[in-house]
Amino acid sequence: MAPTIILVRHAQALHNLSVLGRAQCNSLKENLVPKITGPNAELDVGLIIVSPMRRTIETALLAFGELGIPMEAHAGWQENSTQPCDTGSPIPSLRQEFPQVNFDHVDPVYPDKTSPSGKKYFNTKQAIMARGQEVLRDLKQRKEKAIIVVSHSGFLRSGVTGRWFMNADYRVFDFVDEDGEKDESGLVKIKEREWTVKEGGLGWSFEEAVELGDGLPDEEPALN
């Protein structure tokens, strides 16, 4: 059976997590941790996946770092744009800064997303929607019962879910064909659980949905 996935947007960050960001992480921790640990846990989380960027890693460590759950970095969950704030640091520096995180399986091309080598990470509708499908296929094959992913609002919304995520808010999804619904398009699809479907698990997010790919550019970027 495919795992349940808990998708989390990172908390507010200004270089490092801001005072507000740390407060957001505390709210996330207080709300979600009881649902994944202890006698009344609804979700048996066996893995935490993070986008290899400081704000996502810091959010994951502050909210879930004391749980002892393995934490892995994955380049597929990085943000869409090529702006400096959305382009990650080289993995060797992140390894030194965050020894709690496993960086062994990060795509070696990271953080490149402007050269031909980084084409799968381009900020285009085609590339981002394809990347969304790739990360979902990867999750669907995992053996854990539930997985937390800490990622970014743009990619979560336009590439994966069609839903809005405010800072540190989360939504919970199951794979569509795991509950008897079949899809003949060949696409991997997910369905949000009722208790987060409106404004997110913390109630901080917009309720309305958008189409996947909404607002993404169609043109290829200029290559370095």
Side-chain angles (χ1 to χ4, degrees), residues 73-132:
H74 192 307
W77 291 95
Q78 66 183 294
E79 185 57 299
N80 299 342
S81 88
T82 58
Q83 297 296 318
C85 63
D86 290 329
T87 301
S89 302
I91 293 302
S93 66
L94 293 175
R95 284 185 190 275
Q96 292 185 340
E97 192 171 350
F98 302 108
Q100 312 94 317
V101 179
N102 181 354
F103 293 95
D104 290 349
H105 305 294
V106 176
D107 188 341
V109 76
Y110 184 85
D112 175 21
K113 48 185 174 180
T114 59
S115 79
S117 297
K119 186 173 182 178
K120 68 184 289 184
Y121 303 109
F122 280 0
N123 184 29
T124 64
K125 184 174 183 178
Q126 181 181 10
I128 290 169
M129 293 184 69
R131 179 154 61 95

Coordinates of all heavy atoms in Angstrom, one line a residue, residues 73-132:
A73 N 17.2 14.6 2.2 CA 17.1 15.7 1.3 C 16.8 15.2 -0.1 O 17.4 14.1 -0.5 CB 18.3 16.6 1.3
H74 N 16.0 15.9 -0.9 CA 15.6 15.5 -2.2 C 15.4 16.7 -3.1 O 14.6 17.6 -2.9 CB 14.3 14.7 -2.1 CG 13.9 14.0 -3.4 ND1 13.8 14.5 -4.6 CD2 13.5 12.7 -3.6 CE1 13.4 13.7 -5.5 NE2 13.3 12.5 -4.9
A75 N 16.3 16.7 -4.2 CA 16.3 17.9 -5.1 C 14.9 18.1 -5.8 O 14.6 19.2 -6.2 CB 17.4 17.8 -6.1
G76 N 14.2 17.1 -6.0 CA 12.9 17.2 -6.7 C 11.9 18.1 -6.0 O 10.9 18.5 -6.6
W77 N 12.1 18.3 -4.7 CA 11.1 19.1 -4.0 C 11.5 20.6 -3.8 O 10.9 21.3 -3.0 CB 10.8 18.5 -2.6 CG 10.1 17.2 -2.7 CD1 10.6 15.9 -2.7 CD2 8.7 17.0 -2.8 NE1 9.7 15.0 -2.8 CE2 8.4 15.6 -2.9 CE3 7.6 17.9 -2.8 CZ2 7.2 15.1 -3.0 CZ3 6.3 17.4 -3.0 CH2 6.1 16.0 -3.0
Q78 N 12.5 21.0 -4.6 CA 13.0 22.4 -4.5 C 11.9 23.4 -5.1 O 11.0 22.9 -5.8 CB 14.3 22.6 -5.1 CG 14.3 22.4 -6.6 CD 15.7 22.5 -7.2 OE1 16.3 23.6 -7.3 NE2 16.2 21.4 -7.7
E79 N 12.1 24.7 -4.9 CA 11.2 25.7 -5.4 C 11.4 25.9 -6.9 O 12.4 25.5 -7.5 CB 11.3 27.0 -4.6 CG 10.3 28.0 -4.9 CD 8.8 27.6 -4.8 OE1 8.4 26.7 -5.5 OE2 8.1 28.3 -4.0
N80 N 10.4 26.5 -7.5 CA 10.3 26.6 -9.0 C 11.3 27.6 -9.5 O 12.0 27.3 -10.5 CB 8.9 27.1 -9.4 CG 7.8 26.1 -9.0 OD1 8.1 25.0 -8.7 ND2 6.6 26.6 -9.0
S81 N 11.4 28.8 -9.0 CA 12.1 29.9 -9.7 C 13.6 29.8 -9.6 O 14.2 29.0 -8.8 CB 11.6 31.3 -9.1 OG 12.4 31.6 -8.0
T82 N 14.3 30.6 -10.4 CA 15.7 30.7 -10.5 C 16.2 31.9 -9.7 O 17.4 32.2 -9.8 CB 16.2 30.7 -11.9 OG1 15.7 31.8 -12.6 CG2 15.9 29.4 -12.6
Q83 N 15.4 32.6 -9.0 CA 15.8 33.7 -8.1 C 16.8 33.2 -7.1 O 16.8 32.0 -6.6 CB 14.7 34.3 -7.4 CG 13.7 35.0 -8.4 CD 14.3 36.1 -9.2 OE1 15.0 36.9 -8.6 NE2 14.0 36.2 -10.5
P84 N 17.8 34.0 -6.6 CA 18.7 33.6 -5.6 C 18.1 33.0 -4.4 O 18.6 32.0 -3.8 CB 19.5 34.9 -5.3 CG 19.4 35.7 -6.6 CD 18.1 35.4 -7.1
C85 N 17.0 33.5 -4.0 CA 16.3 33.0 -2.8 C 15.7 31.6 -3.0 O 15.4 30.9 -2.0 CB 15.2 34.0 -2.3 SG 13.9 34.2 -3.5
D86 N 15.6 31.2 -4.2 CA 15.0 29.9 -4.5 C 16.0 28.9 -5.1 O 15.7 27.9 -5.6 CB 13.8 30.0 -5.5 CG 12.6 30.7 -4.8 OD1 12.4 30.5 -3.6 OD2 11.8 31.4 -5.5
T87 N 17.3 29.3 -5.1 CA 18.4 28.5 -5.6 C 19.2 28.0 -4.4 O 19.7 28.9 -3.6 CB 19.2 29.2 -6.6 OG1 18.4 29.6 -7.7 CG2 20.3 28.3 -7.2
G88 N 19.4 26.8 -4.3 CA 20.0 26.2 -3.1 C 21.5 26.4 -3.0 O 22.2 26.8 -4.0
S89 N 22.1 26.0 -1.9 CA 23.6 26.1 -1.7 C 24.2 24.7 -2.1 O 23.5 23.7 -2.1 CB 23.9 26.3 -0.2 OG 23.3 27.5 0.2
P90 N 25.4 24.7 -2.4 CA 26.1 23.4 -2.7 C 25.9 22.4 -1.6 O 26.0 22.8 -0.4 CB 27.5 23.8 -2.9 CG 27.5 25.2 -3.3 CD 26.3 25.8 -2.6
I91 N 25.8 21.2 -1.9 CA 25.5 20.1 -0.9 C 26.7 20.0 0.1 O 26.4 19.8 1.3 CB 25.2 18.8 -1.6 CG1 23.9 18.8 -2.4 CG2 25.2 17.6 -0.6 CD1 22.7 19.2 -1.5
P92 N 27.9 20.1 -0.2 CA 29.0 20.0 0.8 C 28.8 21.0 2.0 O 29.0 20.6 3.1 CB 30.3 20.2 0.0 CG 30.0 19.8 -1.4 CD 28.5 20.2 -1.6
S93 N 28.4 22.2 1.7 CA 28.2 23.1 2.7 C 27.0 22.8 3.6 O 27.0 23.0 4.8 CB 28.0 24.6 2.2 OG 26.9 24.7 1.4
L94 N 25.9 22.3 3.0 CA 24.8 21.8 3.7 C 25.0 20.6 4.6 O 24.5 20.5 5.7 CB 23.6 21.6 2.8 CG 23.0 22.7 2.0 CD1 22.0 22.3 1.0 CD2 22.4 23.8 2.9
R95 N 25.9 19.7 4.1 CA 26.2 18.5 4.9 C 26.9 19.0 6.2 O 26.6 18.4 7.3 CB 27.2 17.7 4.2 CG 26.6 16.8 3.1 CD 27.7 15.9 2.5 NE 27.3 15.2 1.3 CZ 26.7 14.1 1.3 NH1 26.3 13.5 2.5 NH2 26.4 13.5 0.2
Q96 N 27.8 20.0 6.1 CA 28.5 20.4 7.3 C 27.5 21.1 8.3 O 27.6 21.0 9.5 CB 29.6 21.4 7.0 CG 30.8 20.7 6.2 CD 31.9 21.6 6.0 OE1 31.8 22.8 6.0 NE2 33.1 21.0 5.8
E97 N 26.6 21.9 7.7 CA 25.7 22.7 8.5 C 24.6 21.8 9.2 O 24.1 22.1 10.3 CB 25.0 23.8 7.7 CG 24.3 24.8 8.4 CD 23.9 26.0 7.5 OE1 24.4 26.1 6.4 OE2 23.1 26.9 8.0
F98 N 24.1 20.8 8.5 CA 23.0 20.0 8.9 C 23.4 18.5 8.9 O 22.9 17.7 8.1 CB 21.8 20.2 8.1 CG 21.3 21.7 8.0 CD1 21.5 22.4 6.8 CD2 20.7 22.3 9.1 CE1 21.1 23.7 6.8 CE2 20.3 23.6 9.1 CZ 20.5 24.3 7.9
P99 N 24.2 18.0 9.9 CA 24.6 16.6 9.9 C 23.5 15.7 10.2 O 23.6 14.5 9.9 CB 25.7 16.6 11.0 CG 25.3 17.8 11.9 CD 24.8 18.8 11.0
Q100 N 22.3 16.2 10.6 CA 21.2 15.3 11.0 C 20.5 14.8 9.7 O 19.6 13.9 9.7 CB 20.2 16.1 11.8 CG 20.7 16.8 13.0 CD 21.1 18.3 12.7 OE1 21.6 18.6 11.7 NE2 20.7 19.1 13.7
V101 N 20.8 15.5 8.5 CA 20.1 15.2 7.3 C 20.9 14.3 6.4 O 22.1 14.6 6.2 CB 19.7 16.5 6.6 CG1 18.9 16.2 5.3 CG2 18.8 17.4 7.5
N102 N 20.3 13.4 5.7 CA 21.0 12.5 4.8 C 20.9 13.2 3.4 O 19.8 13.3 2.8 CB 20.3 11.1 4.8 CG 21.0 10.2 3.8 OD1 21.9 10.5 3.0 ND2 20.5 8.9 3.8
F103 N 22.1 13.5 2.9 CA 22.1 14.2 1.6 C 22.7 13.2 0.5 O 22.9 13.6 -0.6 CB 23.1 15.4 1.6 CG 22.5 16.5 2.4 CD1 22.9 16.7 3.8 CD2 21.7 17.5 1.9 CE1 22.5 17.7 4.5 CE2 21.2 18.5 2.7 CZ 21.6 18.6 4.0
D104 N 22.8 11.9 0.8 CA 23.4 11.0 -0.1 C 22.7 10.8 -1.4 O 23.4 10.4 -2.4 CB 23.6 9.6 0.6 CG 24.6 9.6 1.8 OD1 25.3 10.6 1.9 OD2 24.6 8.6 2.5
H105 N 21.4 11.0 -1.5 CA 20.7 10.7 -2.7 C 20.2 12.0 -3.4 O 19.4 11.9 -4.3 CB 19.4 9.9 -2.3 CG 19.8 8.6 -1.6 ND1 20.5 7.6 -2.1 CD2 19.5 8.3 -0.3 CE1 20.6 6.6 -1.3 NE2 20.1 7.0 -0.1
V106 N 20.8 13.1 -3.1 CA 20.5 14.4 -3.8 C 21.0 14.3 -5.2 O 22.2 13.9 -5.4 CB 21.0 15.6 -3.0 CG1 20.7 16.9 -3.8 CG2 20.3 15.7 -1.7
D107 N 20.2 14.7 -6.2 CA 20.7 14.7 -7.6 C 22.0 15.5 -7.7 O 22.1 16.7 -7.2 CB 19.6 15.4 -8.4 CG 19.9 15.3 -9.9 OD1 21.1 15.1 -10.3 OD2 18.9 15.5 -10.7
P108 N 23.1 14.9 -8.2 CA 24.4 15.6 -8.3 C 24.3 17.0 -9.0 O 25.2 17.8 -8.8 CB 25.3 14.6 -9.0 CG 24.6 13.3 -8.8 CD 23.2 13.6 -8.7
V109 N 23.3 17.2 -9.9 CA 23.2 18.4 -10.6 C 22.8 19.6 -9.7 O 23.0 20.8 -10.1 CB 22.2 18.3 -11.8 CG1 20.8 18.3 -11.4 CG2 22.5 19.4 -12.8
Y110 N 22.2 19.3 -8.6 CA 21.7 20.4 -7.7 C 22.9 21.2 -7.2 O 24.0 20.7 -7.0 CB 21.1 19.7 -6.4 CG 20.5 20.7 -5.5 CD1 19.2 21.1 -5.7 CD2 21.2 21.1 -4.4 CE1 18.6 22.0 -4.8 CE2 20.6 22.0 -3.5 CZ 19.4 22.5 -3.7 OH 18.8 23.4 -2.8
P111 N 22.7 22.6 -7.2 CA 21.5 23.4 -7.3 C 21.3 24.0 -8.7 O 20.5 24.9 -8.8 CB 21.7 24.5 -6.3 CG 23.2 24.7 -6.3 CD 23.8 23.4 -6.6
D112 N 21.9 23.4 -9.7 CA 21.8 24.0 -11.1 C 20.3 23.7 -11.6 O 19.8 22.6 -11.6 CB 22.8 23.3 -12.0 CG 22.6 23.7 -13.4 OD1 22.0 24.7 -13.7 OD2 23.1 22.9 -14.3
K113 N 19.7 24.8 -12.1 CA 18.4 24.7 -12.8 C 18.3 25.7 -13.9 O 17.2 26.1 -14.3 CB 17.2 24.8 -11.8 CG 17.2 25.9 -10.8 CD 16.0 25.8 -9.9 CE 16.0 26.8 -8.8 NZ 14.9 26.7 -7.9
T114 N 19.5 26.1 -14.5 CA 19.5 27.0 -15.6 C 20.3 26.5 -16.8 O 20.1 27.0 -17.9 CB 20.0 28.4 -15.2 OG1 21.3 28.2 -14.7 CG2 19.1 29.0 -14.2
S115 N 21.2 25.5 -16.6 CA 22.0 25.0 -17.7 C 21.3 23.7 -18.3 O 20.4 23.2 -17.7 CB 23.4 24.6 -17.2 OG 23.4 23.4 -16.5
P116 N 21.8 23.2 -19.4 CA 21.3 22.0 -20.0 C 21.3 20.8 -19.0 O 20.3 20.0 -19.0 CB 22.2 21.7 -21.2 CG 22.6 23.1 -21.6 CD 22.8 23.8 -20.3
S117 N 22.3 20.7 -18.1 CA 22.3 19.6 -17.2 C 21.1 19.7 -16.2 O 20.7 18.7 -15.7 CB 23.6 19.7 -16.4 OG 24.7 19.5 -17.3
G118 N 20.7 20.9 -15.9 CA 19.6 21.1 -14.9 C 18.2 21.2 -15.5 O 17.3 21.8 -14.9
K119 N 18.1 20.7 -16.7 CA 16.8 21.0 -17.5 C 15.6 20.5 -16.8 O 14.5 21.1 -16.8 CB 16.9 20.3 -18.9 CG 15.7 20.7 -19.8 CD 15.9 20.1 -21.2 CE 14.8 20.5 -22.1 NZ 15.0 20.0 -23.5
K120 N 15.7 19.4 -16.1 CA 14.5 18.9 -15.4 C 14.0 19.8 -14.3 O 12.8 19.7 -13.8 CB 14.7 17.5 -14.8 CG 15.7 17.4 -13.7 CD 16.0 16.0 -13.2 CE 14.8 15.4 -12.5 NZ 15.1 14.0 -12.0
Y121 N 14.8 20.8 -13.9 CA 14.5 21.7 -12.8 C 14.2 23.1 -13.4 O 14.1 24.0 -12.6 CB 15.6 21.8 -11.8 CG 15.9 20.4 -11.2 CD1 17.1 19.8 -11.5 CD2 15.0 19.8 -10.3 CE1 17.4 18.6 -11.0 CE2 15.3 18.5 -9.8 CZ 16.5 17.9 -10.1 OH 16.8 16.7 -9.6
F122 N 14.0 23.2 -14.7 CA 13.7 24.5 -15.3 C 12.4 25.1 -14.7 O 11.5 24.3 -14.3 CB 13.5 24.4 -16.8 CG 14.8 24.4 -17.5 CD1 16.1 24.5 -16.9 CD2 14.8 24.3 -18.9 CE1 17.2 24.4 -17.6 CE2 16.0 24.2 -19.7 CZ 17.2 24.3 -19.0
N123 N 12.3 26.4 -14.7 CA 11.1 27.1 -14.2 C 10.1 27.2 -15.4 O 9.8 28.3 -15.9 CB 11.4 28.4 -13.6 CG 10.2 29.1 -13.1 OD1 9.2 28.5 -12.6 ND2 10.2 30.4 -13.1
T124 N 9.6 26.1 -15.9 CA 8.7 26.1 -17.0 C 7.5 25.2 -16.6 O 7.7 24.3 -15.8 CB 9.3 25.6 -18.3 OG1 9.7 24.3 -18.2 CG2 10.4 26.5 -18.8
K125 N 6.4 25.4 -17.2 CA 5.2 24.6 -16.9 C 5.5 23.1 -17.2 O 5.2 22.3 -16.4 CB 4.0 25.1 -17.8 CG 2.7 24.4 -17.5 CD 1.6 25.0 -18.3 CE 0.2 24.4 -17.9 NZ -0.9 25.1 -18.6
Q126 N 6.1 22.8 -18.3 CA 6.3 21.4 -18.7 C 7.3 20.8 -17.7 O 7.0 19.6 -17.2 CB 6.9 21.3 -20.1 CG 7.2 19.9 -20.5 CD 7.8 19.9 -21.9 OE1 8.2 20.9 -22.5 NE2 7.9 18.7 -22.5
A127 N 8.4 21.4 -17.3 CA 9.4 20.9 -16.4 C 8.8 20.7 -15.0 O 9.0 19.7 -14.4 CB 10.6 21.7 -16.4
I128 N 8.1 21.7 -14.5 CA 7.6 21.6 -13.1 C 6.5 20.6 -13.0 O 6.5 19.8 -12.0 CB 7.2 23.0 -12.7 CG1 8.4 23.9 -12.5 CG2 6.4 22.9 -11.4 CD1 8.1 25.3 -12.3
M129 N 5.6 20.5 -14.0 CA 4.6 19.5 -13.9 C 5.1 18.1 -14.0 O 4.7 17.1 -13.3 CB 3.5 19.8 -14.9 CG 2.7 21.0 -14.6 SD 1.3 21.3 -15.8 CE 0.2 20.0 -15.3
A130 N 6.2 17.9 -14.8 CA 6.8 16.6 -15.0 C 7.5 16.3 -13.7 O 7.5 15.1 -13.2 CB 7.8 16.6 -16.1
R131 N 8.2 17.3 -13.0 CA 8.8 17.0 -11.8 C 7.8 16.7 -10.7 O 8.1 15.8 -9.8 CB 9.6 18.3 -11.4 CG 10.4 18.2 -10.1 CD 11.6 19.1 -10.0 NE 11.3 20.5 -10.2 CZ 11.1 21.3 -9.2 NH1 11.2 20.9 -7.9 NH2 10.9 22.6 -9.4
G132 N 6.7 17.3 -10.7 CA 5.6 16.9 -9.7 C 5.2 15.5 -9.9 O 5.0 14.8 -8.9

